[in-house]
Every structure is written in structure tokens, then in C-alpha cells.
Amino acid sequence: HDMVQVFLPQIQSYTSRRRESGVSEAATITKLLDYIKNQNEWISKQTSNHLTLFTDSDLQIIIEAINATICWYDSLDNTIYQPDLYYSDKKLSLVAQIIALADLGTLGMEGIEAFNEEGSLLFLEENPDIIPIILNQDIPDFQAIDKQTLYENLRQRLLKRTRFQVNFAKGRMARLARELKGFTAEAIAVLTHDVFKYLNPAIIQEIELSTPTANDTNFEQLIEFFELDKYLKN
């Protein structure tokens, strides 16, 4: 569902790239439906068995599932959520519910290590200007601002991400029960205790204690926490 990523034009230098809610998902749907249309046409020429073709019903499920992953930002708890999971009149398909829950479910399903890795990769995706600095272990001379200013700029961006990580983790745990409301009691029990088993107070506390969010956290500590060099060199 993340086939296409569309970022807003960067008006200001030395800032994180941003996405407009729903735009990447719409572009993904367009690209995917075009691919499926071509596949259906090709299959139709190869066989008369129409059971192998994607149906209109299949396409509707795909569209609904991708749209269900669209995120909004909640300024009250400083985290993101998927509004389609909260509309009782939406009557989302089971496929759409599962895709949406899994999309933001890394921490709950896989634990802290995978959660932090995802955060690191997202930071690199949204802040590609840090990549040459990490690879060269220094700021290139052609930068338009002095090194100290740029280091502080990057430090603030890294710090913003660590704080988001903590709030995001808290939000996932706090919102889980509400997001599972459409499932049966038996399914909710399995999803809570077996699938999203890492969404519990002990894990959230561990994230709070291990994630550097203090104002005086230095650049090197933040780089070490995110392990960005590991992902760039692998």
C-alpha cells in the first residue's frame, strides 16, 4: 500500500520532508489499478478462464484497504491515527481493518527493536540531507550554513523524532481497544494478547526510559540511538 510516496515541495532548506495526508495513498491506488487493468487485459488474452481476473469487488477491497491506512495527526496526544477505523458508519471490510492495524502495528506485533528500526528508516526517508553527513562523518564544505548551525538543526530534527517515537508508542497502546471495536470478543482477545502483545505498560515504560528526549541530548547520542550508519552501510 506504500508503493508511491509523494512529498510536498520543500520551501525551506534544512527541514524534514513532509507528506500531505492521503496524497501518496491516492497515487498508489492509481498506479496499482492501472497495473491490475493491464494484468487483466493480458490474462484475458491468454485464457478464457475469467476466474483468474481481478473483479470489481476485488478492486473495491483494495481501494478501501489502502484508504484505511491514511493517517491524520492528533495534536492532543502528538501522534497519528487512521480515522477510517473510528467511523462506525464506514463498515470497513475485514481486509481493510487488518491492513490498517498492521500498517501502524510494528511496535505491537514485533517489539521495541523493530519499532526503533522503523523510526530510523522513516527519519532517513524524511531527512535525506543527513545521509552524506553520516557517510562522510562530517558536513560537506559546500553547505550554505556553518557546521555548528547545521549540527544543531539536525539535532533538533532527531530530537523531534525521538519525542514522536515515545508519543506514537503511547498512542498505539491507548488507541488499541477503540480500534478493535469492530471485531468479535474472541478476535479482540487474540489480537490483544497474541498479535499486539507488545502494547503494554511495561513496554511503553521501557521505550520512555531508553529513548533520549531530554533537551540537552547531544547530536552524537541521537545518532547512536537511531543507528543511522548501520542502515546506510548495509
Side-chain angles (χ1 to χ4, degrees):
H1 71 91
D2 281 335
M3 185 184 298
V4 181
Q5 292 293 327
V6 181
F7 291 93
L8 291 167
Q10 277 188 282
I11 300 172
Q12 187 176 356
S13 300
Y14 309 109
T15 57
S16 300
R17 298 197 296 177
R18 294 174 54 248
R19 305 171 184 83
E20 185 177 350
S21 182
V23 173
S24 295
E25 290 81 3
T28 295
I29 289 171
T30 298
K31 185 170 184 176
L32 189 54
L33 294 188
D34 187 53
Y35 174 79
I36 290 172
K37 177 185 175 184
N38 291 333
Q39 281 296 104
N40 274 353
E41 290 175 355
W42 182 84
I43 292 170
S44 295
K45 293 175 183 177
Q46 309 302 316
T47 178
S48 58
N49 181 9
H50 288 178
L51 292 176
T52 59
L53 299 176
F54 284 91
T55 66
D56 289 343
S57 177
D58 294 331
L59 299 184
Q60 190 55 45
I61 290 173
I62 291 170
I63 293 169
E64 181 189 52
I66 294 175
N67 279 330
T69 67
I70 293 173
C71 292
W72 287 1
Y73 184 77
D74 187 337
S75 58
L76 293 178
D77 55 11
N78 297 310
T79 190
I80 56 174
Y81 70 102
Q82 297 145 322
D84 277 10
L85 293 178
Y86 292 77
Y87 297 140
S88 58
D89 60 336
K90 271 280 185 177
K91 302 293 183 185
L92 289 179
S93 67
L94 184 60
V95 172
Q97 288 177 283
I98 291 171
I99 294 294
L101 288 167
D103 184 38
L104 298 185
T106 299
L107 173 61
M109 295 187 294
E110 300 180 53
I112 295 175
E113 184 177 349
F115 178 67
N116 285 340
E117 178 178 337
E118 184 177 68
S120 297
L121 293 174
L122 281 169
F123 183 85
L124 289 172
E125 186 177 85
E126 295 170 357
N127 299 273
D129 58 327
I130 200 174
I131 294 174
I133 295 171
I134 294 171
L135 291 176
N136 299 325
Q137 297 186 333
D138 196 8
I139 294 175
D141 292 331
F142 61 79
Q143 292 288 350
I145 61 176
D146 67 88
K147 291 186 178 183
Q148 194 58 42
T149 302
L150 184 52
Y151 270 124
E152 178 58 20
N153 173 282
L154 292 170
R155 189 186 77 86
Q156 289 294 337
R157 279 189 261 168
L158 288 160
L159 199 54
K160 183 178 180 180
R161 181 70 211 187
T162 60
R163 290 168 176 171
F164 175 81
Q165 288 281 104
V166 173
N167 288 326
F168 184 38
K170 290 179 179 178
R172 286 296 83 216
M173 185 179 73
R175 290 175 175 273
L176 183 63
R178 187 176 175 187
E179 292 176 352
L180 297 181
K181 271 190 174 180
F183 293 90
T184 64
E186 292 80 7
I188 290 173
V190 172
L191 288 166
T192 302
H193 301 295
D194 298 331
V195 179
F196 297 105
K197 59 185 178 181
Y198 294 104
L199 290 182
N200 59 67
I203 291 293
I204 301 304
Q205 184 180 42
E206 186 176 343
I207 289 173
E208 287 186 284
L209 293 173
S210 62
T211 306
T213 59
N215 284 331
D216 60 353
T217 307
N218 64 43
F219 180 78
E220 289 73 23
Q221 288 173 308
L222 290 164
I223 290 293
E224 182 180 355
F225 171 76
F226 282 107
E227 299 183 293
L228 299 180
D229 57 336
K230 179 177 77 173
Y231 302 113
L232 291 173
K233 293 174 182 177
N234 285 347

